[in-house]
C-alpha cells in the first residue's frame, strides 16, 4: 500500500510516512488517500479516502463509506494505469494512478458442448440476449452496504476446473473469455454465500447459464452463481456468509456438474480468485 499525501505532508520525514503507511486502515489518519501501487488485471481494488471525499473513476462517482472506503474493479483487458480522482471535503484534489500488471490468458478448449448453445438459432439468440439484459440490469445497483470489504470464503469446496479470464473455444469456435471460476462438485452440493449480500436476481433455467443467482455485496460488487440445480433463496433476501443459496448442477451450457462463480464491479468482470486471496 502507498500513502499518497498532500504536498505539505510530503515535507515530512520519509520514515514517518513509512510508519503511517504501515498502520492498519482503521487507525489511519483521516486525510490520507491510500490505494495499492499496483494491482493485477481482474482485481477488486479497495481504497481509503478521507470520509466525505468525492471519488471518480471511469466516468463513475464511487460511493464512499462512513469510514472512507471505496471499491472499484479492474477488467481482464485493462492496461492501466487505473486513474482515480479524489476531491477531499476541503476541496483539494488528489489524482491517483494505479499500475496494472498484465496476466497471461491461456486458451481453454471446451468440447462436447451442445451445438445449439454455441451456434444458437435466431429465436434462441433472442432469448439469450433478453436473459442477459435482465442479469445486466441487476448489476447496475449501487447499494450502500459494504459487504464486499470482508474476507470472502469459497462457496463450494472442490477442484477448480476453469479459471477466470481464459480465452475459450467451444467446439472449435472462439467464444467470450471465461468470466468466473469453475469449481467441480457433484450435483446437489450446497453452495454457500462467499460473503453477505442481498439476492438481486434468481431464475431457475436461463438458456446459457441455467439456474442463475445474483448476490449483491454493495458498492456495485456482486457475485453470480450459474448452472445451479436448485435455488433456496429469493430476490430481496438478505443472506449471511456461509448461508446455503442452493445447490450445484449442470443446467444451461455445461458439460458436467460444477459451480460457475463470477464476480463483477457493475459491468466489469473481476476474478473471484483474487478476491479470495485478499483474505488473511
Ligand atoms: Zn464457468
Amino acid at each position: 500500500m502507498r500513502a499518497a499525501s498532500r504536498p505539505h505532508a510530503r515535507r515530512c520525514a520519509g520514515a514517518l510516512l513509512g510508519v503511517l503507511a504501515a498502520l492498519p486502515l482503521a487507525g489511519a489518519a483521516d486525510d490520507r488517500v491510500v490505494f495499492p501501487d499496483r494491482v493485477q488485471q481482474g482485481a477488486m481494488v479497495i481504497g481509503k479516502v478521507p470520509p466525505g471525499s468525492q471519488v471518480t473513476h471511469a466516468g463513475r462517482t464511487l460511493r464512499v463509506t462512513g469510514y472512507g472506503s471505496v471499491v472499484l474493479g479492474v477488467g481482464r483487458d485493462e492496461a492501466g494505469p487505473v486513474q482515480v480522482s479524489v476531491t477531499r471535503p476541503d476541496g483539494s484534489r488528489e489524482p491517483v494512478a494505479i499500475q496494472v500488471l498484465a496476466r497471461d490468458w491461456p486458451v481453454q478448449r471446451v468440447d462436447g458442448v451442445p451445438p445449439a448453445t454455441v451456434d444458437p438459432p435466431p429465436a434462441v439468440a433472442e432469448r439469450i440476449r433478453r436473459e442477459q439484459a435482465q442479469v445486466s440490469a441487476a448489476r447496475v445497483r449501487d447499494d450502500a452496504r459494504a459487504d464486499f470489504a470482508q474476507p470472502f470464503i469459497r462457496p463450494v469446496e472442490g477442484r477448480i476446473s476453469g479459471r477466470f479470464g481464459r480465452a475459450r473455444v467451444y467446439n472449435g469456435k472462439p467464444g467470450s473469455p471465461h468470466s468466473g471460476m469453475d469449481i467441480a462438485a457433484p450435483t446437489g452440493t450446497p453452495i454457500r454465500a462467499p460473503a453477505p449480500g442481498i439476492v438481486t436476481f434468481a431464475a431457475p433455467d436461463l438458456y446459457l447459464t441455467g439456474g442463475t443467482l445474483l448476490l449483491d455485496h454493495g458498492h456495485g460488487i456482486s457475485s453470480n452463481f450459474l448452472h445451479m440445480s436448485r435455488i433456496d433463496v429469493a430476490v430481496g433476501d438478505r443472506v449471511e456468509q456461509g448461508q446455503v443459496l442452493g445447490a450445484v448442477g449442470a443446467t444451461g451450457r455445461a458439460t458436467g456438474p460444477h459451480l460457475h462463480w463470477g464476480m463483477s464491479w457493475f459491468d466489469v468482470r473481476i476474478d473471484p480468485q483474487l478476491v479470495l486471496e485478499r483474505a488473511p
Side-chain angles (χ1 to χ4, degrees):
M1 302 288 271
R2 169 198 54 172
S5 51
R6 285 204 253 190
H8 79 260
R10 288 207 179 94
R11 294 196 296 270
C12 294
L16 176 60
L17 283 179
V19 168
L20 287 176
L23 288 173
L25 288 185
D30 265 356
D31 70 338
R32 291 191 310 138
V33 171
V34 183
F35 282 86
D37 283 331
R38 60 188 76 83
V39 298
Q40 294 188 63
Q41 289 173 327
M44 177 175 82
V45 179
I46 297 181
K48 171 78 176 65
V49 300
S53 296
Q54 196 191 41
V55 184
T56 57
H57 163 67
R60 194 180 272 282
T61 298
L62 306 190
R63 185 180 280 280
V64 180
T65 68
Y67 296 104
S69 296
V70 294
V71 66
L72 59 90
V74 177
R76 171 193 189 268
D77 300 312
E78 174 67 54
V82 167
Q83 307 285 351
V84 182
S85 173
V86 180
T87 305
R88 292 190 173 82
D90 68 6
S92 62
R93 296 180 78 151
E94 178 149 333
V96 176
I98 305 168
Q99 192 187 336
V100 177
L101 304 174
R103 297 170 65 182
D104 268 343
W105 304 117
V107 173
Q108 184 179 24
R109 292 178 187 284
V110 184
D111 295 318
V113 179
T117 67
V118 178
D119 257 323
V124 171
E126 168 57 23
R127 177 181 164 190
I128 291 170
R129 192 202 58 72
R130 197 173 59 243
E131 291 175 347
Q132 290 183 338
Q134 289 170 1
V135 176
S136 295
R139 289 204 179 99
V140 172
R141 182 172 167 138
D142 184 0
D143 196 288
R145 287 168 301 105
D147 295 329
F148 64 86
Q150 80 166 66
F152 279 54
I153 60 171
R154 273 175 71 155
V156 166
E157 290 306 319
R159 180 179 63 87
I160 294 178
S161 55
R163 293 187 181 276
F164 173 87
R166 300 231 164 138
R168 282 211 157 162
V169 178
Y170 294 96
N171 297 354
K173 183 178 177 174
S176 309
H178 191 227
S179 62
M181 168 194 283
D182 289 338
I183 307 171
T187 293
T189 305
I191 298 168
R192 298 181 183 279
I198 285 182
V199 177
T200 53
F201 183 89
D205 191 22
L206 300 192
Y207 189 81
L208 284 182
T209 58
T212 301
L213 188 75
L214 246 71
L215 191 58
D216 183 295
H217 305 297
H219 291 222
I221 298 289
S222 63
S223 286
N224 58 83
F225 309 92
L226 312 182
H227 312 303
M228 296 170 73
S229 60
R230 195 185 78 226
I231 295 178
D232 297 346
V233 290
V235 170
D237 284 0
R238 163 80 189 174
V239 302
E240 297 306 324
Q241 184 177 57
Q243 186 175 333
V244 173
L245 305 172
V248 172
T251 53
R253 182 169 72 183
T255 51
H258 72 283
L259 172 66
H260 172 107
W261 172 32
M263 286 192 66
S264 303
W265 174 70
F266 299 105
D267 58 348
V268 176
R269 307 302 188 117
I270 58 175
D271 184 355
Q273 182 63 42
L274 296 182
V275 175
L276 286 175
E277 287 170 5
R278 296 181 54 88

